[in-house]
Amino acid sequence: MVYHIIYNPIAGHGLSQKNWALIREFLKSIDFAYELHETKSEGHAETIARFLTSKTNPMTIICLGGDGTLAEIVNGISRFENVALACVPCGSGNDFALATKIPLHDPIAAMKFIITSPSRPINFIDINGKRCINVCGFGLDTEVLKLYYKIKFLPNKMRYKIATIIKTLFFKWHDSDVRIDGGPWTKLTTLMLTVGNGMAIGGGIKMCPLAKIDDDYLDFTCINKFPRIKVIPALKAAMDGKVLKLRFVKSVKCKTIEIKIPNAIYQRDGTIVRGESEMKISLAKEKINFIG
């Protein structure tokens, strides 16, 4: 088995560089053979993965980065049957890792786990032909991300929570049309819609707490319109992982969700996507051989 490490040196605002320095020395100490591929720009991890997996030989790809880097790699894989995928979490949020068995805060433990553990088939999401491994979101989720990317002067771990608090206190409702598993279209006025393969967004906020990456279902969570006076309790419940206990929150497991939104903007694995007002979100037919 050939091991390829796709390394994003800017992931986690320096965390990936610290982790790689530790991992490099560890791999040297055990005489572990691998090939390193360093990303140079946004989208480069996808290009690297596409080139590597165009070959027919079996390989393991290890992502040394965050959810965004991992999502790029997933979009680049062309032969899932020949690839085992793993990730050492090094990003700002590392939300997908929360749905796996990978050690989250110890890069050496994560690498040892990857080297010694078998892969298992897991699901991913297809959105208008693009792949999403963790979560996509509409409404407040996107508004929070837009602010998150602007307030770069704050410490990294605080940014998403601060952006969430600000946008929640000054939130707006979002209209959409939704159809689940080919059923009737429903008009909704919501704070937020979330479709999850993984369970969390924003560094651990569990918007799809019942989601499992290998159960062959998507988890759809909808925060419907509610009295504005309840926004603080709603925010606290979301932060505490108890969002499904709110009576105006609905959650369902499904295979396909179709969404029409007027503002043509949403987030996919933490990346803001513009220009798509109609989306078909499906459980992908293929599966990823994932170590974790």
Side-chain angles (χ1 to χ4, degrees), residues 15-16 19 22-23 63-67 70 87-111 113-114 157 199-200 202-206 290 292:
L15 179 61
S16 62
N19 285 355
L22 295 171
I23 289 170
C63 172
L64 196 60
D67 292 336
L70 184 62
C87 183
V88 178
C90 300
S92 302
N94 300 315
D95 290 304
F96 181 71
L98 292 175
T100 73
K101 303 171 185 176
I102 298 171
L104 187 58
H105 302 295
D106 185 338
I108 302 302
M111 185 58 69
F113 176 87
I114 291 167
K157 290 186 178 180
M199 64 178 68
I205 300 175
K206 295 180 179 179
F290 192 81

Side-chain angles (χ1 to χ4, degrees), residues 144-171:
V144 168
L145 267 180
K146 286 162 64 177
L147 180 57
Y148 167 84
Y149 288 126
K150 290 180 180 178
I151 53 176
K152 297 181 180 180
F153 55 88
L154 290 175
N156 190 54
K157 290 186 178 180
M158 291 178 56
R159 286 168 63 195
Y160 196 92
K161 289 185 178 180
I162 294 297
T164 300
I165 291 170
I166 292 172
K167 285 297 181 180
T168 303
L169 292 177
F170 302 98
F171 70 89

Side-chain angles (χ1 to χ4, degrees), residues 80 122-126 216 282-288:
F80 283 104
I122 68 165
N123 302 120
F124 63 94
I125 307 170
D126 181 285
D216 293 334
S282 305
L283 187 76
K285 293 180 181 179
E286 295 178 287
K287 292 188 177 183
I288 300 169

Side-chain angles (χ1 to χ4, degrees), residues 60-245:
T60 295
I61 295 178
I62 302 172
C63 172
L64 196 60
D67 292 336
T69 309
L70 184 62
E72 287 187 13
I73 294 171
V74 168
N75 274 278
I77 294 175
S78 58
R79 297 174 185 268
F80 283 104
E81 67 275 12
N82 291 332
V83 179
L85 179 62
C87 183
V88 178
C90 300
S92 302
N94 300 315
D95 290 304
F96 181 71
L98 292 175
T100 73
K101 303 171 185 176
I102 298 171
L104 187 58
H105 302 295
D106 185 338
I108 302 302
M111 185 58 69
K112 288 180 179 178
F113 176 87
I114 291 167
I115 294 172
T116 59
S117 301
S119 65
R120 57 174 171 140
I122 68 165
N123 302 120
F124 63 94
I125 307 170
D126 181 285
I127 309 173
N128 289 356
K130 292 291 287 185
R131 299 165 182 166
C132 170
I133 193 168
N134 188 44
V135 170
C136 62
F138 312 80
L140 178 67
D141 194 3
T142 304
E143 297 298 319
V144 168
L145 267 180
K146 286 162 64 177
L147 180 57
Y148 167 84
Y149 288 126
K150 290 180 180 178
I151 53 176
K152 297 181 180 180
F153 55 88
L154 290 175
N156 190 54
K157 290 186 178 180
M158 291 178 56
R159 286 168 63 195
Y160 196 92
K161 289 185 178 180
I162 294 297
T164 300
I165 291 170
I166 292 172
K167 285 297 181 180
T168 303
L169 292 177
F170 302 98
F171 70 89
K172 57 184 178 181
W173 303 115
H174 299 268
D175 295 322
S176 60
D177 294 285
V178 176
R179 180 163 69 173
I180 299 174
D181 285 339
W185 284 96
T186 303
K187 289 188 177 295
L188 298 176
T189 300
T190 63
L191 178 66
M192 183 174 172
L193 303 174
T194 305
V195 182
N197 179 45
M199 64 178 68
I201 62 173
I205 300 175
K206 295 180 179 179
M207 289 303 302
C208 300
L210 302 181
K212 294 182 179 179
I213 59 177
D214 60 356
D215 67 352
D216 293 334
Y217 282 97
L218 302 176
D219 279 51
F220 176 56
T221 301
C222 173
I223 304 180
N224 293 296
K225 191 173 183 179
F226 58 87
R228 283 183 173 266
I229 196 172
K230 294 187 177 182
V231 66
I232 300 301
L235 175 60
K236 186 177 185 305
M239 294 288 192
D240 292 343
K242 300 177 181 178
V243 68
L244 299 188
K245 293 188 176 182

